[in-house]
Amino acid sequence: MQVSPQQRRYGTATLVDVAQEAGVSLATASRVLNGSTRKVAESYRERVRAAADKLGYTVNVSAQAVASGASALIALLVADIADPYFAQVASGVARAADEAGFLVTIATTGRDPQREAALLRVLRGQLPRGVILAASRMAVPFEPVQLEVDAIHGMGGRVIALGPGAAELRSVLIDNWGGARQLGLALAGRGYRRAVVLAAPRGLITTDQRQAGFTDGFTAGGGRIERVHRAAFTREGGAEAMREALAAGIEPGTLVFALSDAVALGAVHELREEGRQLGADIAMAGFDDIPASGDLTPALTSVHIPLEEVGYQAVRAAIDPEWTPSPLALEVNLRDSTPPPDRVTVDLDAVRA
Amino acid sequence: MQVSPQQRRYGTATLVDVAQEAGVSLATASRVLNGSTRKVAESYRERVRAAADKLGYTVNVSAQAVASGASALIALLVADIADPYFAQVASGVARAADEAGFLVTIATTGRDPQREAALLRVLRGQLPRGVILAASRMAVPFEPVQLEVDAIHGMGGRVIALGPGAAELRSVLIDNWGGARQLGLALAGRGYRRAVVLAAPRGLITTDQRQAGFTDGFTAGGGRIERVHRAAFTREGGAEAMREALAAGIEPGTLVFALSDAVALGAVHELREEGRQLGADIAMAGFDDIPASGDLTPALTSVHIPLEEVGYQAVRAAIDPEWTPSPLALEVNLRDSTPPPDRVTVDLDAVRA
DNA sequence: CGCATTAGCGCTACACCAGGT
DNA sequence: CACCTGGTGTAGCGCTAATGC
């Protein structure tokens, strides 16, 4: 925080300068330029605005924050901004924040709860109006994180969770369970009977819900979950889980369900490395429906989440007192990575059994 | 900026509280907790830290910024955070900022210079130590943007440009021209003789350089640029340009060079819609080598840019006075979207001519 | 040398006051 | 004269950095 002399304001006009230039009081200038509901005569408004324009004035938001005790800031916490899932959410957050005249600060947790807690503490120092917790939430809340969340509430900030509803937190609801169930039903309906699940470590609400929903739907449709392979909830994790799955043996015509598209993409990569074919040989379905999934050949079956909208709603939830959660529509997109399984294969299979 | 009474600090400890709790002066507490090189006896350090911990103290960065005239903030301006190119850069920025104890604010311009200027003005209000301009820069600087850049310099902030070197700005250099030239040479070397370029509107430094470099390399290798189709520098623009290109007719064995992978991905989508095949039928090369390009089948030939590193270096350039630009290594990755063109096709072609 | 004291950063919010009904 | 309307004056937000002891 060492500051060289010339770093200390040089050529940067302050409100005092503007007021002086306009020949009005500091208070009036403040009211014209930076909010307040109080009325100011049009003639004064003009003069102040002209002066501000002439001097290239910009409000010092830090000073504003110090004086008012709150800032027009939204803090966004994601696991990894390079991940298309979070990037899309961030896009919606940026759009909503911009519309509302808010600035966005972003930080990445790398999926480490310890880091998440530390970052929350730092972010709290910005007195953000809202904090959006997009990094994966645990079923059993991590104590230090919980403490920070409470502290943010204490200073008047709002904490928004994505996905699972949570007590004490506003949430943008994502029906992971329902979407996964629909997917399971649809794929069973297409004729799949055996599935292998590429899952994440237990404890993440999102993944637990997806796994449970899929299992429910797939078995309800007459299918059976043969095995579950767990690895990190990332692309690399997907490759790893798939390696494991292949080592354990996967018969042609088996469906592989990855708990996210990122995991699925990693798995597809691995599967191809091993010389297997995506589609009729090994079918694959993901979740999230990120853009890259559509570029895959054959295109990946997935459950579409309007992620940009999720981010947008999260900001609304943070800054609009009237906001109420409205369920976001998920959509199952069956594509060619899960073709109707070959009848012959199914019959042979029955015979073999 | 209206603040309800309970938004006004409640339960949030300040430095005064900590100092009181620890039984030391405000100044000492400040020195212990928030930097400064001045020495404080270990016994005092202990007491202050214990008090801070007990009260859950976090420095109010806004107050810090007001008092010191600078904040530990990096502002990042991108065209579109959902775009993998920018998402990867952002990832590197986040990592570097975190390492250095900086916070990152992010804003999206949507490729609109007008918006860029407006956002820069707002961001300036945060007194960021550095501003990273990742949104596409124009060959002819947009006046209002230039004014804001000057203002930021005036207040002691550093403005970092990505890509093309620029007078007066520190830049993380990306050798678009050289990379594109290598690509052109390599593809001519593989045997391609005719190329169609899917380009962006003139005026963007990045795209102009890539187009020029490719043209240089490809013709040097014995190839010829048949046509250039211009559309927006986005995925949708790629689809549009490809539509145009297909309408104008593309012979099998022709190489299509898209100025970015995003453009290429849009083009591939379009090409498939039209029933054409990627590879031997229509070959395609992109630029950037974003992860999604590797998931394409056949995988997309592209020029790899270490985007995460670009973001990382940008932050270093912003906060490290000693930083000097070191060229980042680009790498041409020839993949199956540009197979060696069929000899027969080439011969037939020669006969036909 | 190592601590405490304090001015002041830019701004907002409140208290205040002048003039017209 | 009390009341509104629309301006001014200024305390103080939490912190840093220069000065004092």
Side-chain angles (χ1 to χ4, degrees):
Chain A
M1 206 77 321
Q2 240 65 276
V3 170
S4 53
Q6 74 271 30
Q7 164 115 4
R8 247 198 136 71
R9 42 169 262 100
Y10 149 72
T12 314
T14 72
L15 241 202
V16 181
D17 301 330
V18 174
Q20 210 153 44
E21 174 78 25
V24 302
S25 76
L26 180 59
T28 302
S30 168
R31 290 202 276 262
V32 172
L33 296 173
N34 311 319
S36 161
T37 44
R38 273 191 66 161
K39 268 183 213 160
V40 177
E42 195 51 42
S43 63
Y44 277 74
R45 301 199 93 89
E46 285 301 311
R47 284 192 5 229
V48 172
R49 270 199 285 257
D53 226 57
K54 181 178 167 196
L55 301 177
Y57 170 79
T58 294
V59 63
N60 179 329
V61 291
S62 297
Q64 230 171 13
V66 172
S68 72
S71 67
L73 258 180
I74 297 289
L76 173 63
L77 219 57
V78 298
D80 171 15
I81 187 62
D83 182 322
Y85 178 97
F86 295 112
Q88 279 197 275
V89 171
S91 176
V93 167
R95 184 166 60 88
D98 191 73
E99 280 179 14
F102 276 63
L103 250 24
V104 178
T105 73
I106 195 166
T108 56
T109 66
R111 298 188 168 75
D112 175 0
Q114 207 88 42
R115 263 181 65 73
E116 182 168 345
L119 285 170
L120 277 175
R121 174 169 282 220
V122 174
L123 290 173
R124 170 156 67 92
Q126 297 198 105
L127 316 183
R129 193 83 108 267
V131 178
I132 300 174
L133 251 40
S136 332
R137 299 193 51 249
M138 313 292 284
V140 182
F142 185 57
E143 174 82 19
V145 168
Q146 197 51 51
L147 280 174
E148 280 309 319
V149 168
D150 291 344
I152 291 165
H153 280 145
M155 55 144 260
R158 217 171 246 142
V159 181
I160 311 294
L162 298 194
E168 303 256 325
L169 291 187
R170 284 197 174 197
S171 312
V172 177
L173 301 174
I174 301 176
D175 186 10
N176 286 302
W177 190 86
R181 185 170 189 281
Q182 290 301 319
L183 178 67
L185 269 176
L187 288 171
R190 253 201 186 185
Y192 287 98
R193 287 296 168 265
R194 298 182 312 265
V196 169
V197 177
L198 306 186
R202 265 180 249 269
L204 286 174
I205 302 185
T206 300
T207 49
D208 286 355
Q209 289 181 338
R210 289 181 184 178
Q211 192 185 336
F214 179 81
T215 303
D216 191 89
F218 194 63
T219 46
R224 202 165 59 79
I225 308 293
E226 298 209 317
R227 292 195 310 273
V228 175
H229 296 279
R230 294 184 189 276
F233 191 46
T234 60
R235 188 195 160 98
E236 291 70 37
E240 188 188 327
M242 190 71 209
R243 224 174 355 256
E244 228 181 76
L246 287 167
I250 293 194
E251 290 181 62
T254 299
L255 170 70
V256 176
F257 172 51
L259 291 190
S260 78
D261 280 12
V263 169
L265 256 27
V268 167
H269 183 81
E270 187 62 27
L271 159 174
R272 285 183 165 153
E273 293 274 292
E274 296 297 316
R276 304 291 293 261
Q277 280 238 313
L278 178 61
D281 179 3
I282 297 184
M284 175 95 60
F287 207 105
D288 293 341
D289 198 27
I290 59 176
S293 306
D295 287 328
L296 207 63
T297 324
L300 186 70
T301 287
S302 194
V303 179
H304 186 78
I305 307 180
L307 291 169
E308 215 264 354
E309 178 70 13
V310 167
Y312 189 90
Q313 290 299 330
V315 173
R316 299 307 314 168
I319 64 184
D320 181 358
E322 324 267 76
W323 183 87
T324 47
S326 65
L328 294 167
L330 303 196
E331 196 184 337
V332 173
N333 286 329
L334 294 180
R335 304 208 184 91
D336 295 341
S337 70
T338 55
D342 199 344
R343 279 233 136 259
V344 181
T345 309
V346 173
D347 287 350
L348 278 176
D349 203 57
V351 172
R352 216 182 297 163
Chain B
M1 210 70 329
Q2 241 63 278
V3 170
S4 52
Q6 76 272 29
Q7 165 113 7
R8 240 195 143 70
R9 43 169 263 104
Y10 148 70
T12 314
T14 72
L15 240 201
V16 181
D17 300 331
V18 174
Q20 212 154 42
E21 174 78 25
V24 302
S25 78
L26 180 58
T28 301
S30 168
R31 291 200 276 261
V32 172
L33 296 173
N34 310 318
S36 163
T37 43
R38 281 193 59 164
K39 270 186 217 157
V40 177
E42 195 51 43
S43 62
Y44 278 74
R45 301 199 93 88
E46 284 302 312
R47 277 180 27 217
V48 172
R49 270 201 282 260
D53 226 57
K54 180 179 168 196
L55 301 177
Y57 170 80
T58 295
V59 63
N60 179 328
V61 291
S62 298
Q64 226 170 18
V66 172
S68 72
S71 67
L73 257 180
I74 297 288
L76 173 64
L77 219 57
V78 298
D80 171 14
I81 187 63
D83 183 321
Y85 178 97
F86 295 112
Q88 279 197 274
V89 171
S91 175
V93 168
R95 183 167 60 88
D98 191 71
E99 279 179 13
F102 275 63
L103 250 24
V104 178
T105 72
I106 194 166
T108 56
T109 67
R111 299 188 167 74
D112 176 0
Q114 207 89 42
R115 264 181 65 71
E116 181 168 344
L119 285 170
L120 277 176
R121 174 169 283 219
V122 174
L123 290 173
R124 169 156 65 93
Q126 298 198 106
L127 315 183
R129 192 82 110 264
V131 178
I132 300 173
L133 252 39
S136 329
R137 300 195 50 250
M138 313 292 285
V140 183
F142 184 58
E143 174 82 19
V145 168
Q146 196 51 52
L147 281 174
E148 280 308 319
V149 168
D150 291 344
I152 291 165
H153 279 146
M155 56 143 260
R158 217 170 246 146
V159 181
I160 311 295
L162 299 194
E168 303 255 322
L169 292 187
R170 282 197 174 196
S171 311
V172 176
L173 300 173
I174 301 175
D175 186 10
N176 286 301
W177 191 86
R181 185 170 189 282
Q182 290 303 319
L183 178 68
L185 270 176
L187 288 170
R190 251 199 190 188
Y192 287 97
R193 286 297 168 265
R194 298 181 313 263
V196 169
V197 178
L198 306 186
R202 264 181 250 270
L204 286 175
I205 302 185
T206 301
T207 49
D208 286 356
Q209 289 182 337
R210 289 181 185 178
Q211 192 184 336
F214 180 81
T215 303
D216 192 87
F218 195 62
T219 47
R224 199 165 59 79
I225 308 293
E226 297 209 315
R227 293 195 309 274
V228 175
H229 296 279
R230 291 183 192 277
F233 191 46
T234 60
R235 188 194 161 100
E236 291 70 37
E240 189 187 326
M242 192 71 211
R243 220 169 4 251
E244 230 182 72
L246 286 167
I250 293 194
E251 288 182 64
T254 299
L255 170 70
V256 175
F257 172 52
L259 291 190
S260 78
D261 280 10
V263 169
L265 256 25
V268 167
H269 183 82
E270 187 63 27
L271 159 174
R272 286 182 164 153
E273 292 274 291
E274 297 296 317
R276 304 290 294 262
Q277 280 237 313
L278 177 62
D281 178 2
I282 298 184
M284 175 92 62
F287 207 105
D288 292 341
D289 198 27
I290 60 177
S293 306
D295 288 326
L296 207 62
T297 325
L300 187 70
T301 288
S302 193
V303 178
H304 186 79
I305 307 180
L307 291 169
E308 215 264 354
E309 178 70 14
V310 167
Y312 189 90
Q313 289 299 329
V315 172
R316 298 308 314 169
I319 64 184
D320 181 359
E322 325 266 77
W323 183 87
T324 48
S326 64
L328 294 167
L330 303 195
E331 195 185 337
V332 174
N333 285 330
L334 294 180
R335 304 207 183 92
D336 295 341
S337 70
T338 56
D342 198 347
R343 279 230 137 262
V344 180
T345 309
V346 173
D347 287 347
L348 278 175
D349 203 55
V351 172
R352 217 183 295 162

